[in-house]
Amino acid sequence: MNRKTLVLPAVVGLLAPVLVACGGTDGGSGGGGAIVVGTTDQFTATADAPAPLDPAYAYDTGAWNVLRQTIQTLMHAPRGGGEPVPDAAQSCSFTDNASESYRCKLRSGLQFADGTPITADDVKFSIERVRDIDADNGTAALLANIDTIEANGDEVAFHLATPDATFPYKLSTPAAGIVSKKNYEGKKLRDGFQVDGSGPYTMKTETKGENISRVVFTKNPKYQGDLKLLNDKVELRSFPDAASMGKVLEDGDIDVMTRAMSPEQIKDLSENPKKGIELTEMPGLEIRYLGFNTNDPSVKNKAVRQAMAAVVDRGHIAGEVYGSTAEPLYSLIPTSIAAHTNSFYNKYGEPSRSKAAEILSAANITTPVKLKLHYTTDHYGAGTAKEFEALKNQLNATKLFDVTVEGAEWSKFRPAQKHGDYAVYGLGWFPDFPDPDNYIAPFLDKGNFLNTPYVSTVVRDLIPQSRRSADRTAASKAFTQMQDIVANDVPVLPLWQGKQYVAARVGVTGVERVLNSSSDLQLWELGRGSA
C-alpha cells in the first residue's frame, strides 16, 4: 500500500476538493412518461420497525431518500454543495454571535399537498414530535440540542441549549421535516408506508408483503420552495440485488441504476461499456466500519479491539473486494473532510500480527479469541459478504482469533444490533450533512444511533465545544483529539470509504446531480432529452 495516497489534506474549508467524473447525458429520444430509477434499498415494515418512513423514526439513507422527495424542510442542501439554503423558509439566520438562537421566516403561501396551509406552529409541532417520540433509531439526537421553540405566525425561533454552528445542516435533514397534525400524531409513530408532506412530489407505493416494490413520485402542484423540478413523475423501484437491477437496465425497463451497484458491475461498465448505457462517477462520503458492543464479554477488554485494529488489512479489503470503488480509511472522518487525520494508522501502522500479539499478551488475553462478526445481507450491496469473508480469513490467519461470520436481512439485523445482540457488527454511514461533527456525534454522543454502551466523557465534552465556531476549520484541533481517542479505545473500527456511481440510459439528463456527496437522492434533477 502506498502511504503517499493517505496524506492529511490541507484544511482549506469544510470539504477538501474532490474530483468529479461525470458521464455525458446529452441527447436521447426525449421520450415521455415516468423516469424509472432502480435501487437495492429495501423498505420493510416489521413488528420491530413498523414505521420505516416516519420522519421521527427513519434514520437510514434509503428511507431518507424517499422522505426528501415528499417531506419539506426549512433548509436544504444546495445544488453543488455548500451551506444549506432556505426551502420552506424564505430566510433563516442566527440572531446572535454565539450560535445559540436561530430564526426562520416561512415562505408565503406554503401548503401541504392536500391544500392545508402551513404555519410556524406546524414546524414547531413536527420538530417537537420527533423529540417527544425519541425513537430508538437515534433520529431525535440530531435535534437534541434544541432548548425551546417559539412559533409566531410565519416565524419560528429555535433557542439552543449550547452553541451549534451546524444547526442549519440539521434543519435540512428529514428529521426536521414538516408534517401535518391531521396525518401524524404528536406522540406516536405513523405505521406503514404512507407519507404526506409539502415537498416537491406526492407519492404512492406498491407493496409485496411487508416490502415496498415501487414508489411513484408525482410533481406536487402545491410545492413552494427552492427546488426546480425537471420532470413531472419519477418511479423508484426496489430490487433484491444489483444483478437483477442491472439486467432490467440493460433490457430498457428502467432508466437509471443507483445505489448500490456491485463492484463487478462498476468494473464491467468501466472496461466494457454497454451500448446505450453510461456510467457516472461522483464524489462520495460513505464509510464502512466495524462496531462493537463494548459490554459484551468477548470484546469488553479494549485490548481485543486494539488487536483487531492492529491486524486488519484495509488495503486488501478495499482493493480485492471493492477495487477502484473504495480506499482504506484510518479514521471515522473520511479523507475528503478537512478535519480528517489518519489516527488509526498513526497508532497501529501497517497490519502486524506481532503487534496484535503483544497487545493481547500485555492484557493477559487468552488466544485464540473467539468472535462472531455480523453483517447485513441486503443493505449495502453484494460486496458485503465477500468483505466479511475477507475479514474472517485475515483474523483467523493470525491464529490470534477464531472468527465466524453471520449475515442477516436488514429488517432483522438493525433491531438486533440496536438491542445489543451482536458483539461485533458491520455498518455503513452516509452523512446527514458534510461536516466532521456528523462523523463523530452520531457514533459517540448521548443518544447515538448505534445505541453503544461505550462512553468517553472527554469526547462528549469536546463535541459541544467543536460546534461553537461558524468557521469549522477552527474546530480541527478538537476533532483531531476525538479521532485519536477513537483510535485508542476502538469503540468502532473504520475500514474503508467509497465512491458512488450511477448508470443510466442515454437520453436521461441530470444523472451527475441525482446524488450529492452525502448520497442524498435528488430525483428532481432528472430529465429527458438535451441537458
Side-chain angles (χ1 to χ4, degrees):
M1 175 172 52
N2 183 0
R3 291 294 309 147
K4 291 181 180 179
T5 63
L6 290 170
V7 295
L8 178 66
V11 180
V12 293
L14 179 62
L15 282 174
V18 233
L19 179 64
V20 183
C22 297
T25 54
D26 292 352
S29 64
I35 297 171
V36 185
V37 177
T39 179
T40 57
D41 286 324
Q42 302 297 305
F43 310 100
T44 306
T46 66
D48 285 322
L53 297 181
D54 190 316
Y57 178 84
Y59 202 15
D60 67 86
T61 302
W64 271 21
N65 280 338
V66 171
L67 293 177
R68 289 186 191 279
Q69 321 308 314
T70 51
I71 298 288
Q72 195 174 14
T73 49
L74 290 170
M75 309 287 283
H76 79 100
R79 197 183 212 192
E83 296 182 1
V85 296
D87 187 24
Q90 176 181 306
S91 62
C92 289
S93 63
F94 282 106
T95 58
D96 65 340
N97 293 327
S99 299
E100 285 185 302
S101 294
Y102 196 76
R103 185 176 297 272
C104 294
K105 182 176 181 179
L106 300 184
R107 291 180 186 267
S108 61
L110 279 180
Q111 300 177 56
F112 290 108
D114 64 3
T116 304
I118 297 174
T119 68
D121 283 326
D122 294 302
V123 178
K124 183 174 187 278
F125 163 78
S126 301
I127 292 178
E128 288 183 342
R129 176 178 180 270
V130 175
R131 287 158 51 84
D132 289 342
I133 291 175
D134 194 16
D136 65 358
N137 229 16
T139 317
L142 281 169
L143 307 172
N145 193 34
I146 297 173
D147 186 18
T148 58
I149 306 174
E150 293 181 50
N152 184 16
D154 64 353
E155 290 194 356
V156 57
F158 301 92
H159 303 290
L160 308 182
T162 59
D164 186 3
T166 71
F167 188 65
Y169 289 95
K170 293 168 182 174
L171 287 183
S172 70
T173 68
I178 306 168
V179 298
S180 168
K181 297 176 186 178
K182 291 199 308 184
N183 298 315
Y184 292 82
E185 295 184 40
K187 297 183 185 295
K188 182 181 177 183
L189 291 172
R190 185 180 186 182
D191 292 354
F193 300 121
Q194 187 60 38
V195 180
D196 298 283
S198 57
Y201 297 98
T202 59
M203 62 173 271
K204 291 185 178 179
T205 62
E206 291 184 15
T207 59
K208 290 183 178 178
E210 298 178 328
N211 301 295
I212 289 179
S213 57
R214 70 179 72 194
V215 185
V216 177
F217 297 104
T218 303
K219 186 175 181 179
N220 175 14
K222 303 290 187 183
Y223 172 68
Q224 298 288 327
D226 185 61
L227 300 174
K228 311 301 180 189
L229 277 68
L230 301 180
N231 58 68
D232 292 327
K233 185 176 288 188
V234 181
E235 180 182 315
L236 185 68
R237 284 191 203 169
S238 179
F239 292 89
D241 50 59
S244 57
M245 179 169 62
K247 182 179 185 306
V248 295
L249 180 69
E250 291 188 29
D251 292 344
D253 293 333
I254 65 173
D255 300 296
V256 181
M257 180 164 65
T258 59
R259 52 184 304 270
M261 297 173 62
S262 70
E264 293 79 11
Q265 284 176 322
I266 294 165
K267 184 174 187 291
D268 185 44
L269 285 171
S270 298
E271 298 176 356
N272 306 292
K274 304 289 191 295
K275 183 177 180 181
I277 296 175
E278 293 178 332
L279 181 69
T280 301
E281 177 189 323
M282 290 164 285
L285 295 172
E286 171 193 7
I287 68 170
R288 298 284 181 89
Y289 58 92
L290 292 178
F292 298 93
N293 175 1
T294 54
N295 277 348
D296 189 283
S298 63
V299 293
K300 188 170 185 176
N301 191 320
K302 73 178 179 182
V304 174
R305 310 192 301 267
Q306 290 175 330
M308 293 176 70
V311 82
V312 165
D313 189 341
R314 298 165 175 82
H316 178 267
I317 293 169
E320 294 300 316
V321 178
Y322 295 101
S324 62
T325 69
E327 62 181 40
L329 180 63
Y330 292 86
S331 170
L332 275 176
I333 300 175
T335 58
S336 44
I337 298 286
H340 165 86
T341 60
N342 289 316
S343 296
F344 274 81
Y345 187 84
N346 295 339
K347 182 169 180 63
Y348 302 101
E350 297 289 351
S352 170
R353 183 198 182 278
S354 61
K355 180 171 286 189
E358 289 174 7
I359 292 170
L360 293 171
S361 176
N364 296 316
I365 303 292
T366 301
T367 59
V369 179
K370 191 171 184 178
L371 296 173
K372 181 179 285 188
L373 311 186
H374 295 263
Y375 68 94
T376 173
T377 58
D378 60 346
H379 198 64
Y380 300 119
T384 310
K386 296 178 182 177
E387 175 183 347
F388 274 75
E389 191 67 22
L391 280 168
K392 180 188 76 171
N393 292 339
Q394 285 182 15
L395 293 166
N396 286 346
T398 68
K399 307 299 183 183
L400 301 172
F401 296 93
D402 178 8
V403 172
T404 57
V405 297
E406 184 175 289
E409 295 178 357
W410 179 254
S411 60
K412 297 180 176 65
F413 173 90
R414 177 63 169 140
Q417 178 270 312
K418 288 187 296 183
H419 295 158
D421 297 345
Y422 302 151
V424 190
Y425 52 87
L427 280 172
W429 180 250
F430 300 83
D432 306 324
F433 50 89
D435 185 277
D437 177 88
N438 199 239
Y439 289 93
I440 297 292
F443 297 84
L444 302 175
D445 208 356
K446 184 179 179 180
N448 62 78
F449 88 103
L450 291 178
N451 197 28
T452 177
Y454 170 81
V455 175
S456 167
T457 55
V458 176
V459 170
R460 291 192 179 180
D461 286 342
L462 286 170
I463 288 171
Q465 292 178 33
S466 71
R467 293 170 175 166
R468 290 180 178 275
S469 178
D471 177 6
R472 303 304 291 141
T473 59
S476 293
K477 184 177 180 180
F479 284 115
T480 296
Q481 186 176 350
M482 288 187 275
Q483 289 171 88
D484 288 346
I485 290 171
V486 171
N488 183 71
D489 293 352
V490 200
V492 291
L493 176 55
L495 296 173
W496 57 268
Q497 68 180 84
K499 302 173 185 176
Q500 55 185 1
Y501 296 81
V502 176
R505 301 196 64 81
V506 171
V508 179
T509 62
V511 175
E512 70 278 7
R513 294 184 297 274
V514 73
L515 288 173
N516 65 16
S517 62
S518 297
S519 296
D520 301 339
L521 192 60
Q522 303 174 136
L523 295 178
W524 51 84
E525 294 284 3
L526 296 175
R528 295 189 188 275
S530 299

